[in-house]
Amino acid sequence: MKFIVLPSTGDTAGVTIERLARTRLEVVHRASGRPWIIGDWNEGDVYKKRIGNRRIVLLGRFLMDEPALLRILDSAESLSDLSRITEEIPGSYHLVAELDEGVRIQGTLSSGRQIFYSDRGSPVLAASDPALLLPFVGREWDRSILASRLIAPWPPWPVSEIPVWKGVSALAPGHFLRVDSRTGTARQVRWWSPEEPHLTLERGAELLASAVHDAVLSRGRGRTTVSADLSGGLDSTGLCFVAAATGVPLITTRWQATDVSDEDETWACRAERGLPEARHLTFDRRSAPGWFTELLPRRPGVHDHEGPFPWIRTRGRLVHTAEAVAERGSRTHLTGHGADELFFATPLNLHSLARTHPAKVPTHLLGYQALYRWRTAPTLRGLADSSTFSAWLGKVTDSLRTPLREFSTAPDFGWGLSGRMARWVVPEAVEAASEALRRDDVLSSGPLSRHRAQHASWQDARLCGDTLRKVNHVTGAHGVSWEAPYLDDRVMRIALSVRFDQWSMPDRYKPLLVDALRGTAPPEILERSTKSEYSADAYTGLRRNREAIAELCDGMRLEEHGLVDAEAFGRTVFDPPSSSFGIVPVINTLACESWLRTIERGSREKDKDLVSILEG
């Protein structure tokens, strides 16, 4: 799904109703007859309603409660009153609405459905993808932002959300875009902030069970078949059982790990026995695509222009899965991504626990020390740290070149992961990334929450949503939508509202999710408390795809733009470090290099897509 929202005033970039009538694009018109929303979507994924001069459009996956929605639309005194829609209508969708005062446009809290808008004058154009705005704002990319994408494992928020393209802005978390109907100017308006965590584990699990069920049901609505990951891990396996409970015919998919001793296969086979009505599809490790098998897109389109693809290592697998499930009748694929970000208790929870329930700290602290072997003195100093978000960003900026230790006897209780830049990133690129981290709009942003654990969870969920949005660009080309129910607004709001003392204990694995899945997933599945790791897939993929990687290292565009040393990068790729930690920056670099080559190719070829139509 893709769309662009046009202003009610001014020239609509030469787009006329007559021209649109000759295309296959969908158009939602204003009362005046002018085009309002132009896009490419399935009929069942859009809801349109009008009450007098008021109108609303939902685009995505949702469980429609029309009476509730119409009550909200009819009674709303302002655009802000429409926030209640996200409480009443489950799912993952964009919301576009118009009242007399103007237009409200928003995506999701996870950024899985995001809104981008032009920031060069007015009237403002808004779109679901920044690439759709490029004909109107130009095609100049920001060197400092691209340099920041070389930070491993990822740049800190909010730099992580700044578009690579100049002239394009992204809607901030928990905000909607308010467009004035008379002037076409726009401003961001906050509509949601995390609540103070107040739910008990029991109440949170009860609400979460309902929210996850509705999230999955919204994906199966109107579908004859859905598919889903069944890795064997708790997150994807739980979703499979929820999907089976909705009654929609289910296809499960799993990849055999390169490491034959990986225990995911054992757990996945147990789950398959508990899902006898589903069709189970297994991709053999000997014949199916491995990691790093599709470093450049087969058929690049404008959506590949959005920015570097974080999961470039598995692009070949994503395409293979999409083709396989599409062949078997699925157009919707469920994935368990988002659960780690929202339900896994990280040590950072301990820092927030010390500020909300200090009496609970000693018991939890002993558990974390036993698990991570922390020394007491640096741990207590870390717990006492109350430095501001901007001060932490300054430390991250100053330590971009500091070697990252794989193991440490002292915890990192900062506002997020302290990213690093690899040795093949040249000093000029490090300075460019530092400029991005020192931007006034970055330093003035402030954290997403006053609690570091809550901030980190929301930030990580948005990083995950951003990646899943780009995954949809890949799989959508093969007719399959990749859906992450755990990233729905209602699910996220519940996850971020449970008290830290109720679920941050290190002796239980994802207790909120486990308790929510009780009665749906078999007890033996919920007993799993381990996660597999895939370093064997990484090393094998690098070895088997040396030739393709060598082609990217030959005449690296990143080197041409003064960002990396291609020779130093090649030495690392062809002689990988013994620790898999060292492969993470390799992936970031390959993603940035692939993106530069893709937009270079796109500038030479005419894309058969929405942008080329709007350009005339």
Side-chain angles (χ1 to χ4, degrees), residues 333-349:
H333 188 83
L334 306 181
T335 175
H337 288 98
D340 283 345
E341 291 78 0
L342 293 172
F343 306 122
F344 182 71
T346 69
L348 198 54
N349 285 40

Side-chain angles (χ1 to χ4, degrees), residues 280-351:
H280 302 294
L281 184 60
T282 301
F283 301 120
D284 192 287
R285 65 173 65 88
R286 295 165 295 184
S287 57
W291 282 28
F292 304 110
T293 54
E294 194 165 320
L295 296 175
L296 290 170
R298 296 182 196 173
R299 298 172 296 181
V302 293
H303 290 295
D304 294 299
H305 296 186
E306 178 176 335
F309 183 43
W311 287 355
I312 191 172
R313 68 191 189 281
T314 56
R315 176 152 49 195
R317 288 191 166 190
L318 290 166
V319 170
H320 187 79
T321 303
E323 292 176 337
V325 299
E327 183 180 339
R328 290 160 177 80
S330 173
R331 296 294 180 268
T332 299
H333 188 83
L334 306 181
T335 175
H337 288 98
D340 283 345
E341 291 78 0
L342 293 172
F343 306 122
F344 182 71
T346 69
L348 198 54
N349 285 40
L350 195 61
H351 186 277

Side-chain angles (χ1 to χ4, degrees), residues 51 100 130 175 185 187 229 275 317 359 390 398 430 450 532 541 571 595:
I51 302 178
D100 290 337
H175 286 69
T185 57
R187 62 184 176 89
D229 291 337
L275 296 164
R317 288 191 166 190
S390 60
D398 294 338
V430 176
R450 72 183 187 91
S532 292
R571 285 197 301 268
W595 180 74

